[in-house]
Structure formats: structure tokens, C-alpha cells
Amino acid sequence: MVTAVAQRLASQRKEIDDTLATFALSPTQLQEVKAKMRVELERGLKKDSHPTASVKMLPTYVYRTPDGTERGKYLALDLGGTNFRVLVVKIRTGMRNSVRMYNKIYAIPLEIMQGTGEELFDHIVQCISDFLDYMGMKNTRLPLGFTFSFPCNQTEVTSIVNMILGDLVSWTKGFKATDCEGYDVVDMLREAIKRRNEFDLDIVAIVNDTVGTMMTCAYEDPKCQIGLIAGTGSNVCYMEEMNNIEFVEGDEGQMCVNTEWGGFGENDNTEDIRTRYDREVDGGSLNPGKQRFEKMTSGMYLGEIVRQILIDLTKRGLLFRGHITERLKTKGIFETKFLSQIESDRLALLQVRSILQSLGLDSTCDDSIIVKEVCGAVSRRAAQLCGAGMAAVVDKIRENRGLDHLEITVGVDGTLYKLHPHFSTILKDTVRELAPNCKVDFILSEDGSGKGAALITAVIDKYLYAMRFSDETLRDIMARFRREMENGLGRDINPTATVKMLPTFVRSIPDGSEKGDFIALDLGGSNFRILRVKVSHEKKQTVQMESQIYETPEDIIHGSGSRLFDHVAECLGDFMEKQKIKDKKLPMGFTFSFPCAHSKLDEAVLLTWTKRFKASGVEGMDVVKLLNKAIKKRGDYDADIMAVVNDTVGTMMTCGFDDQRCEVGIIIGTGTNACYMEELRHIDMVEGDEGRMCINTEWGAFGDDGTLEDIRTEFDREIDRGSLNPGKQLFEKMVSGMYMGELVRLILVKMAKEGLLFEGRITPELLTKGKFDTKHVSAIEKSKEGLTKANEILTRLGVEPSEDDCIAVQHVCAIVSFRSANLIAATLGAILTRLKDNKNSPRLRTTVGIDGSLYKMHPQYARRLHKTVRRLVPESDVRFLLSESGSGKGAAMVTAWASRLADQTRQIAETLAQFRLTKEQLLEVKKRMRTEIQNGLSKNTQSTATVKMLPTYVRSTPDGTG
């Protein structure tokens, strides 16, 4: 009996293995696919064979990839699926090129996709009209670039931006609008614009999504000369040599060719690797016999192939106890996204079973294993086939150029490549094996169009639009901050000024002469650092640092001031003990990263706590005296606190040690602040007009007087209400790392409540304050793994996100972090323009020292900040220098400067002291002079007297009688 059961199970296992074996491609088969693809690429390029080639090799009349000289403002229309996008793209050139985009996503209902061509293009034009209203641009006639992701013949061209005829070869991706195939889609769009008669556009270019992806990525990587779409559809384009394109005039240079490789196999040359399931999917499609390669490799069909296999295995009694549910019989019910979820390495079999149960399938553990194997076989074959096709393309390019070895980059877009856990790896491995003489890098298009962008709609944008700022708005914010700076620089500490503009009494940046042994204490958060900094001049100026980080417990942060400084003094003693310097009285610099008023360099009166600190009895007190008191109370060591600065000043001084042009310091981390070197003549609260002094702006409080109310959102107000200091530090709450993750969480909760995310599901974790960290924002915005990270993070929050959810969350994160970078750019722009005006220079050349976890760790933040600053302050050459050593080293530099100043003052005093005479010394001089006068008058001593007392023979002074 046992033997019979075992034999039956073995037989069933063999049937399953035999079924899946039809999807397994051997290295020989993959080489054959590559060779056949190569033949079809060549046939598509030949004048004689082009009409019958399955790979159409359509010319795009794009003669080059971007070279950095492109500029201007364009309207773009991206049509390639059930959702399409309308964009305004602004391209600027200068020291750093920049591209800015504003967009909206619109849906195309099924009845329009499969209706008439006139209905389709009227719908598109209606959406364009809505977008132009949204942007306030209906009266602006812009050039329009049309991304049309279907096979087209283009026949009239004058330049890279004048590709204006596009005859539709055939619909794909579920589109069947009548009276379009064989007609010029540009003409149909123009006619629809004329019918609406509301606006006019200059349609100058039409490309498909692969070309758009290649051009997007080539803007960032000049080696990118291939575009790949691996999503709902599948396609490739690449830069081909003109002399190989026989049906286009000209032999010089290159042109991008749209392969339309989805049609590969239509001449039956892939029949040896097609399975009966492929044939069933093809037979049930809208275009039987067409796009056979796409039906084996693209996201539109992989789920359906899996469904056909599951039905067959179930019919044979190998799955689900032989029971086929009505849902399993439903075409399209098994979506490709389920493959990505089921094949996830992190997904346990119980979770796979849960997915199957949601489809009405009562599965056992064995069923779940088999389904996972089926999904893996189908997706692996798809990735290998794409890899074989890509190997044919890169080898052709290598041979075109007569190279032994080719290095090239492929720009990629598409949800299958982005979201499937193994697709991209298998694709890359296959290319590497089949094209060993080519080093191929893949770069993901950040701005390409994808199926997952469906949730980025106008409904979502009603929350996020207020976080997007035009350059005009940013310049207005610059002007507001400039006024606040001037207000803060007024006589005394202006009680009405929100931007306090506090003098620091730091009068210069390091000049290279600093030397000595110093202690630096860096207190600005729940962890603080103590450093020993040695600056020497043996052959060149060198800095040696040793440091230790100490924790400040929450009960001390919120306890009494005496406990806080006793704790700091205790940690300082521990550090000095470990350094064996308790018997030395070394100069100390104190980085204290909270708003303080200074009357001299070694005095700092705390104005207000920030960053969750609430220690009592400290506000209004001199923190140097409090620390000295705590040190004296211990009595086991002494310290000479020569300077107290905040972290922005420390950052500026640290970077100034490496670059003496550095005259601005910025912190963009848990909190945010800036300092800069101001002319003394403009600082009313400090005496003197000559030279400069560093000003601590304390810009985190910008907007506390209502200056920013028009740009604050409901989410900013909710953040403020729930903070420890409502109504304070409003600018900091809009831009800093302490609040960014929470801002994103509040937006996601709002969207979920309105059914725009997570199918309306809200978990307790998502509702918990602080659960969405700013580090999650950074992870989700990573270009290559961001969507995978989004899935992981949201899953930990109890959410089961779809692909669309992940892309929407990534979009929310990008909007929030981009707003932060833009606002920082505006306030920094105000500082830079003030420096430029102070110098009365037509062009500012300066360096900005920066520190902070948000700036360092966020993958896009620095680039966005730099680009926006250069747009807002075009008459400037700004170097951004990251502080590698933190602000503690800067405190040591300030101490070194103060120590050097003290030494100079002492030397001067010692020199001048030689000229000071006491009363006793003056009486002695008087006595000696009297003696010498007597000697000079005496006949006996006159000849040796130092005071000669020579007679003049003038015997009287005038008496007024003459």
C-alpha cells in the first residue's frame, strides 16, 4: 500500500516536472534564441526583407542622445497603457543641467480603448485641456513631444526635435480603437485639438516609451544607448549605425531604432520553445498570432500563462485536489503581480496560500510549493528570453563598432523589471553569459512611465500639489527670508524677529596657522560626542582626532539643567581619564547646537530649547557657566572653555579648514540651521564696522510669525500640534529629518482613509506616531531598490501593498523630500545673494559647508538642493563641501583660533608692559634728573654731566615795557 502511494506521488511529481521542463531553456537554446533574434534584427534593417521581418526595426529619427545643451520648456504626452501622463518639462543649462517636471495621470476607460479613434483622441485632448488649466498655461503655445508606445512608422524629419509623422502599424496592449491602424496618429491628435478649439500646441516629436526611457537615462549617463521596457509590454531600442539602415537615406552617424521585438516569432522561428500554454494565451488574445515574443515575456501575459498551467495541472488532479473554481476559470484573474509576490524570498508558504485563497483556491502546503515553482518557471523563462534578445543587441553594437570589448549602459523601465524579485538578476546573468565580450550596466529610469503610476492622479495631487513650488514661489520665499535676516540684524536682539541672526563672535575661518592640543564637546542631540583634536605643523598641517560618543538618557533630557550638565561633566571626566589628560588643562571648544545669545566667544545664553530637549533651569542662563560649575563640583579635573559655538558654526569652521572660501555652514539632519560670515558694519548689535563676524541665523524658526502660512499644509499643522513646542520652529518642522517621516505617514493615512491607498485598509502600525521614520523615506527613494524597500517597509507596518501602492508611496516620499530641498534652497539662496551684495560683486564664488544625516543619507536630496540653488542664484559658483568630521572638529578650530588670538594678545601685552612705569619708577626718574641738573650747573662736574645745562646769555624774558 505504501509503495503504491509512493509510486503515485512520484508519478505526479514527474508529470509536474515534465510540464515545467517545457519552460526550462538550456544554454544551447538560449544561444539559438540570441542567434535567431540577431537574424531578425538584420532582416528588419534590410530594405528588401524589412516589410516581412517580425522584428520591425522602425526608425525613430532620433540621431543622438542628450549632450547637455538641451534647454527650454516643453509639453509631453505619454500614452502607452490604460493610464497616460501629461507633463510640463523644463530643461535648464548652466553650471549644472537640470530637468524639472510637473505631471498628471489620466485614465483611459476600456470603452474608449476599444471604441473609435476619434473618441480616443478627443478623450486625450480633453485631458490635455484639464492639465493646461491645472498649470495655468492654456494661453501658452508650447512644443509638444508625444510618447506613443505602439509600433509606428515615422517618415518626415528635419531634426532631433522635429519627428512629426507617425503611422500606427498595429495596436498592442489591449488597445483596439478603430480607424487608427495605418493612419498618422499626430494628424489625429491635431484634428482633435482643432475640434476642441480651446488651445494650440506645436507637435514637434513622436517617440515610443523605449526611446523615452533611453533618452531619460542618457541625460544622466552618456554611455546609455539602449532602452528597455520590461513591464506590461516588452520592447527595446538602441542607437544603430546609419549605414546599416538601408531604407533611410544617409550613411553618416547613428539613429535610434525601435526594434518592436515583441513581434519576434511571428514567422514561427520560436515554435520550438513555445508551449501549448503560450498557444492558448495567444489564441485567447485580441491579436492572435501577433506579438508572440511579448506574450512570452511581458507582464500583460505572464499571469495568464500561469493560470493556464494551473488549470491544466488541476484537471490532471495534480493541484487543488482536482477542483477548478469558477474564479480560476476567469481570464485575467491571476495577475502578474501575484508572481512577484509569490516568488518573493521573504514570503512564507502560508502567505502564498493566503494569496491563492484570495483567488478562491483551497490549497495545501504542497499546492503552494507547486504554484511557486510554476511562477518561477514562467518568470525565469521570460527574463532569460529578454536576456537572450538583449545579448543579440549588444553583440550587434559591439560588432558595428569593430570592438573586441564593449562597455554600454541600458536604460530600463517597467514594473516587471522594477518589482519582480528575481527578473532583473536573471536578465543580467543571461546577458553576461551570452555576451561575454560586453560589459553591460543597467540604469533604472526614475522618470519613465510605468503601469504603477496609475495612483499618481489629480485626486492624490490635491494633497501634494501644495507641496510643489514654482521657481517664482521659491524666489518669493527667498525675498521673505531676506527681510527676516535684515530684521534680525537690527539693534539688540530684536524681540519681534523670528530669525534671530545671533552674533557668534567668531571673526574668521581657519587660516592654516592653527596648532595645538584641544578638547571639543559636541552636544546637540540624544547622543553627544567628545573629541581630542591635535593640530600640528610638522611638514604640512595635519589634524588627528580621537573621539567617543556618549548617550544622554531621556529622563536627563527632560529633567533638570543641573542633572544634564552633571551628566556631561561626568562623561567629560571619563573621556579625559581614558585619554590620560586629567592633569592637563587643555583649551576646550563647546559645540552647543541650540539657539543662544552671545556677548563674547566664551559665553552663550540659551534662548530656547529645541530637538525635544526640555531640561529645566537652563533657558536664560549661560551654558558655559553651568558646565564650569558642574566641572568644579567634581573637582577631579579642570577645563579652559575658550569658545562656545553651535553645530552650523562648527561645520563651517571644519569645512573652512579644508577650503578657506567656505563662509556658510548648514545643518540638514534631525534639525536644520545655517550660519554665514556677515559684514560687521551690518550687525547693529555688535560694536565696530571693520571686518566680519559669523552670524547664526537660527532659521528653523522662520515662519513662526505667520510668514509661511500660505505654503503650510494641513499635514504641517498636524505635525506642529503634536510636537513638544507648538507654534515654534515651523520652518524646521517642514524640512528637517525629525519630522519628514511623520509628514509622509500622515499623508498616507489620509489617502488610505479616502480609499486611494492599500484598498482603504489602515493598520494600527500605520496609525502609530513615529512608526514611519525619515530613514524609510531615504530607502524608498533609492533608484534601483526603492520599490522593493517600499514593499518591505509597508509590509512591516501591517499593510499588504500592491505594486501601485508602492509607486504611489514612493511618489509621496519624493514630493515631501523635494519640498524640503526646495525650501532649504530658497533660504540658502537668500544668504548667498546677501553675500554677493555685501561683496558688491557681479558673480559670487563661495563654498557652503554642510553636515546632517538627511543631506548625507537621502539618495536624491543633495542633487535636488544643488540644482535648485543654481537656478535661484544663477550669478554664483557655489561649491558644496560635506563635513567629514562633524561639527566637533569645527569647535576645536574655533578654540584654536581663540587660543591663537589669546596668545597674540598676551605677547602684545608683554611687549607693551615694558613701556609701563610705576609711581616709584617715575619718582626715581625725577630724583635722577634733579641730580643731573645740579651736576650740569656745577663747575667741577659740568664737563662730565649728561645734562649739559649750556648758558644762552639771554638774561630776561619780555616784561611788556619795550
Side-chain angles (χ1 to χ4, degrees):
M1 183 70 178
V2 173
T3 303
V5 171
Q7 288 176 340
R8 180 172 58 82
L9 290 175
S11 175
Q12 290 175 343
R13 183 67 248 183
K14 185 176 184 305
E15 283 190 66
I16 293 168
D17 290 343
D18 289 344
T19 299
L20 298 184
T22 61
F23 289 86
L25 300 175
S26 68
T28 301
Q29 287 176 306
L30 289 172
Q31 287 286 3
E32 289 174 357
V33 172
K34 173 190 171 185
K36 291 176 182 178
M37 177 67 81
R38 179 64 184 273
V39 169
E40 288 302 303
L41 294 175
E42 299 291 352
R43 290 187 73 240
L45 291 171
K46 303 296 182 185
K47 190 172 185 179
D48 293 336
S49 55
H50 174 75
T52 59
S54 63
V55 179
K56 291 300 180 185
M57 305 298 284
L58 304 174
T60 66
Y61 297 95
V62 174
Y63 291 101
R64 60 177 173 84
T65 53
D67 63 4
T69 62
E70 299 80 11
R71 61 181 300 171
K73 184 187 295 185
Y74 303 91
L75 192 67
L77 175 63
D78 189 354
L79 177 63
T82 55
N83 297 285
F84 73 102
R85 187 164 57 146
V86 187
L87 314 88
V88 166
V89 182
K90 298 178 181 179
I91 305 173
R92 291 176 62 99
T93 58
M95 284 188 63
R96 294 285 183 91
N97 294 348
S98 67
V99 178
R100 297 194 70 190
M101 300 194 304
Y102 306 87
N103 72 86
K104 260 193 168 187
I105 303 291
Y106 297 89
I108 304 178
L110 184 62
E111 62 271 19
I112 290 179
M113 288 172 60
Q114 300 181 4
T116 68
E118 187 171 297
E119 290 171 341
L120 173 63
F121 283 91
D122 281 346
H123 176 72
I124 290 169
V125 170
Q126 178 184 338
C127 296
I128 294 173
S129 174
D130 174 77
F131 178 78
L132 293 174
D133 276 337
Y134 174 76
M135 295 298 297
M137 299 172 65
K138 249 189 181 167
N139 296 323
T140 305
R141 191 172 190 266
L142 293 176
L144 171 67
F146 190 5
T147 302
F148 189 71
S149 304
F150 304 92
C152 284
N153 280 320
Q154 291 167 246
T155 55
E156 180 181 321
V157 178
T158 59
S159 72
I160 191 172
V161 288
N162 194 14
M163 301 162 281
I164 55 174
L165 292 183
D167 295 338
L168 176 63
V169 175
S170 63
W171 283 119
T172 57
K173 308 174 191 176
F175 277 70
K176 290 293 283 186
T178 59
D179 302 318
C180 293
E181 292 182 14
Y183 290 91
D184 181 8
V185 294
V186 175
D187 278 347
M188 287 187 275
L189 179 59
R190 282 183 176 140
E191 289 301 317
I193 291 171
K194 287 179 183 177
R195 284 194 296 273
R196 192 163 186 93
N197 197 29
E198 286 184 1
F199 54 87
D200 194 13
L201 298 171
D202 184 14
I203 306 171
V204 296
I206 177 170
V207 296
N208 78 348
D209 51 352
T210 52
V211 181
T213 295
M214 181 188 74
M215 297 292 278
T216 297
C217 295
Y219 196 82
E220 300 294 331
D221 184 351
K223 289 196 301 183
C224 181
Q225 295 199 313
I226 303 174
L228 167 66
I229 297 294
T232 307
S234 178
N235 195 17
V236 159
C237 70
Y238 72 98
M239 297 301 293
E240 177 60 84
E241 304 301 314
M242 282 286 292
N243 58 8
N244 291 333
I245 311 173
E246 293 187 358
F247 46 87
V248 174
E249 290 184 3
D251 291 328
E252 297 294 321
Q254 297 176 323
M255 179 188 288
C256 179
V257 170
N258 167 25
T259 67
E260 288 296 340
W261 77 1
F264 178 51
E266 289 178 13
N267 56 1
D268 295 336
N269 61 355
T270 57
E271 282 305 296
D272 58 323
I273 60 170
R274 290 179 79 214
T275 67
R276 62 191 181 93
Y277 308 107
D278 297 311
R279 295 183 181 94
E280 287 173 6
V281 168
D282 180 38
S285 68
L286 290 171
N287 54 350
K290 304 292 184 183
Q291 299 296 108
R292 289 182 180 178
F293 188 70
E294 185 173 78
K295 289 168 185 172
M296 297 167 74
T297 59
S298 76
M300 178 170 277
Y301 300 99
L302 296 189
E304 185 61 10
I305 293 172
V306 169
R307 188 183 72 88
Q308 294 291 346
I309 298 170
L310 298 186
I311 288 175
D312 179 56
L313 294 178
T314 306
K315 283 180 179 178
R316 288 191 269 160
L318 303 174
L319 269 181
F320 310 130
R321 304 177 185 85
H323 177 62
I324 302 176
T325 64
E326 288 303 315
R327 293 198 70 187
L328 187 58
K329 294 178 183 177
T330 305
K331 182 179 176 181
I333 194 66
F334 201 99
E335 297 175 40
T336 298
K337 70 178 181 181
F338 295 143
L339 273 76
S340 299
Q341 295 170 3
I342 288 171
E343 288 188 67
S344 171
D345 294 331
R346 304 181 312 279
L347 210 58
L349 291 177
L350 283 176
Q351 292 170 295
V352 175
R353 187 180 179 190
S354 175
I355 292 172
L356 296 173
Q357 286 176 336
S358 72
L359 298 174
L361 300 169
D362 184 18
S363 64
T364 65
C365 184
D366 287 341
D367 290 337
S368 298
I369 292 172
I370 293 168
V371 171
K372 196 162 188 172
E373 291 175 353
V374 170
C375 292
V378 171
S379 64
R380 181 176 181 81
R381 184 189 68 164
Q384 287 180 320
L385 288 173
C386 284
M390 181 60 69
V393 171
V394 296
D395 254 349
K396 175 166 175 52
I397 294 174
R398 181 181 62 81
E399 292 176 20
N400 283 349
R401 300 178 186 180
L403 300 174
D404 293 329
H405 184 79
L406 173 72
E407 291 188 9
I408 198 164
T409 298
V410 179
V412 193
D413 201 2
T415 51
L416 188 57
Y417 184 93
K418 288 179 178 178
L419 299 180
H420 191 281
H422 308 302
F423 188 96
S424 63
T425 301
I426 296 169
L427 168 66
K428 293 172 186 176
D429 289 344
T430 305
V431 174
R432 191 180 303 113
E433 291 166 8
L434 299 183
N437 295 324
C438 301
K439 182 181 181 297
V440 185
D441 293 324
F442 291 78
I443 179 173
L444 192 62
S445 170
E446 289 184 35
D447 302 314
S449 58
K451 173 185 176 184
L455 275 181
I456 309 165
T457 62
V459 181
I460 295 175
D461 272 352
K462 76 180 180 183
Y463 305 123
L464 304 181
Y465 182 70
M467 291 188 171
R468 292 172 170 166
F469 303 130
S470 67
D471 281 358
E472 290 73 18
T473 300
L474 292 175
R475 289 191 181 94
D476 180 53
I477 294 168
M478 279 176 63
R480 298 182 205 182
F481 187 69
R482 183 74 183 264
R483 288 193 295 271
E484 290 297 313
M485 290 172 68
E486 290 164 0
N487 191 26
L489 287 170
R491 172 63 61 182
D492 300 323
I493 297 177
N494 193 330
T496 66
T498 56
V499 181
K500 293 299 183 186
M501 304 296 286
L502 304 171
T504 65
F505 292 86
V506 173
R507 298 175 185 267
S508 70
I509 58 173
D511 64 2
S513 65
E514 295 78 18
K515 63 179 180 179
D517 194 355
F518 309 99
I519 296 294
L521 173 62
D522 191 352
L523 176 64
S526 55
N527 293 298
F528 70 94
R529 189 162 62 138
I530 304 175
L531 309 90
R532 185 180 183 185
V533 183
K534 297 178 183 179
V535 187
S536 61
H537 287 268
E538 293 177 0
K539 293 182 180 178
K540 63 176 184 178
Q541 192 174 40
T542 59
V543 178
Q544 292 179 302
M545 293 195 304
E546 296 178 72
S547 68
Q548 186 167 339
I549 293 176
Y550 294 88
E551 183 181 359
T552 307
E554 200 76 12
D555 61 319
I556 289 180
I557 287 176
H558 296 152
S560 68
S562 60
R563 280 191 68 202
L564 172 64
F565 285 99
D566 285 347
H567 174 70
V568 173
E570 180 184 346
C571 296
L572 184 57
D574 175 74
F575 180 80
M576 296 180 78
E577 179 74 37
K578 290 174 179 175
Q579 290 288 314
K580 296 182 172 52
I581 53 174
K582 262 193 170 181
D583 58 335
K584 298 181 180 180
K585 187 178 181 181
L586 296 180
M588 180 185 294
F590 187 10
T591 302
F592 188 71
S593 306
F594 304 92
C596 288
H598 295 255
S599 60
K600 51 185 179 178
L601 190 59
D602 60 352
E603 178 185 283
V605 175
L606 177 65
L607 297 178
T608 181
W609 283 119
T610 56
K611 307 175 193 175
R612 298 187 302 108
F613 272 68
K614 280 290 186 180
S616 61
V618 183
E619 292 181 352
M621 303 295 289
D622 180 0
V623 296
V624 175
K625 288 182 178 177
L626 293 176
L627 179 56
N628 273 328
K629 181 180 178 182
I631 291 171
K632 287 177 182 176
K633 190 192 304 183
R634 291 178 57 85
D636 57 341
Y637 67 90
D638 201 0
D640 183 12
I641 303 175
M642 302 192 69
V644 58
V645 297
N646 78 349
D647 50 354
T648 52
V649 181
T651 294
M652 183 187 75
M653 296 295 282
T654 297
C655 295
F657 183 79
D658 297 318
D659 181 348
Q660 292 185 18
R661 286 200 316 180
C662 183
E663 51 190 342
V664 182
I666 299 182
I667 299 294
I668 311 173
T670 307
T672 185
N673 194 16
C675 69
Y676 73 102
M677 296 301 294
E678 177 61 83
E679 300 296 319
L680 262 174
R681 66 180 184 273
H682 295 151
I683 309 173
D684 290 351
M685 64 196 88
V686 177
E687 292 184 1
D689 290 333
E690 295 299 321
R692 300 197 299 172
M693 180 180 287
C694 179
I695 289 291
N696 166 24
T697 66
E698 288 297 337
W699 73 10
F702 179 38
D704 286 4
D705 59 353
T707 306
L708 299 178
E709 279 308 296
D710 58 323
I711 63 169
R712 292 176 73 219
T713 67
E714 60 179 287
F715 308 108
D716 296 311
R717 295 183 177 92
E718 190 170 347
I719 286 277
D720 181 46
R721 285 194 297 270
S723 69
L724 288 172
N725 55 348
K728 303 293 184 183
Q729 300 294 107
L730 297 185
F731 181 72
E732 184 169 76
K733 290 169 185 173
M734 296 172 75
V735 301
S736 74
M738 178 173 281
Y739 304 99
M740 185 175 290
E742 184 66 6
L743 269 173
V744 170
R745 186 190 70 82
L746 292 175
I747 295 169
L748 299 186
V749 169
K750 177 85 171 183
M751 290 169 63
K753 283 181 178 178
E754 299 205 6
L756 299 171
L757 278 177
F758 319 133
E759 297 180 350
R761 297 188 304 273
I762 303 175
T763 64
E765 291 87 349
L766 190 60
L767 287 171
T768 303
K769 181 179 178 180
K771 277 288 187 179
F772 200 100
D773 295 333
T774 297
K775 67 181 180 182
H776 295 156
V777 178
S778 298
I780 288 170
E781 286 196 64
K782 289 182 178 177
S783 57
K784 292 186 178 179
E785 56 189 49
L787 294 175
T788 302
K789 291 293 184 184
N791 190 291
E792 292 173 2
I793 291 162
L794 293 169
T795 300
R796 288 201 296 272
L797 292 174
V799 176
E800 296 179 9
S802 66
E803 295 171 9
D804 291 351
D805 288 334
C806 291
I807 289 176
V809 170
Q810 189 179 60
H811 182 70
V812 171
C813 291
I815 292 295
V816 172
S817 65
F818 213 144
R819 181 185 73 158
S820 169
N822 279 340
L823 288 173
I824 293 285
T827 47
L828 174 57
I831 290 175
L832 294 173
T833 54
R834 183 168 182 86
L835 284 173
K836 179 176 172 292
D837 292 347
N838 284 348
K839 295 178 180 183
N840 194 25
S841 173
R843 190 165 192 86
L844 175 68
R845 289 177 174 81
T846 192
T847 297
V848 175
I850 306 189
D851 200 2
S853 54
L854 182 57
Y855 181 87
K856 287 180 178 178
M857 306 305 295
H858 190 286
Q860 315 293 339
Y861 198 98
R863 178 176 58 84
R864 292 168 178 169
L865 173 66
H866 301 171
K867 286 185 175 182
T868 306
V869 168
R870 290 184 176 105
R871 280 203 319 276
L872 297 179
V873 194
E875 310 86 8
S876 64
D877 299 325
V878 182
R879 181 191 182 201
F880 291 88
L881 182 59
L882 184 63
S883 171
E884 300 293 346
S885 308
S887 55
K889 176 182 172 183
M893 291 299 104
V894 176
T895 305
W897 171 77
S899 181
R900 187 187 76 214
L901 189 64
D903 287 344
Q904 291 172 347
T905 302
R906 185 173 59 254
Q907 290 174 28
I908 292 169
E910 288 172 356
T911 301
L912 296 179
Q914 300 174 51
F915 294 89
R916 284 199 298 269
L917 299 175
T918 65
K919 183 177 179 182
E920 290 75 13
Q921 287 174 314
L922 289 171
L923 287 171
E924 181 65 24
V925 170
K926 173 187 173 185
K927 178 181 176 182
R928 293 176 186 176
M929 178 64 77
R930 178 70 180 269
T931 299
E932 287 302 306
I933 290 172
Q934 292 296 336
N935 287 341
L937 292 173
S938 172
K939 185 176 182 179
N940 294 333
T941 55
Q942 199 268 343
S943 60
T944 59
T946 57
V947 180
K948 293 299 183 180
M949 304 299 290
L950 301 173
T952 65
Y953 297 96
V954 175
R955 299 178 183 272
S956 68
T957 56
D959 60 3
T961 61

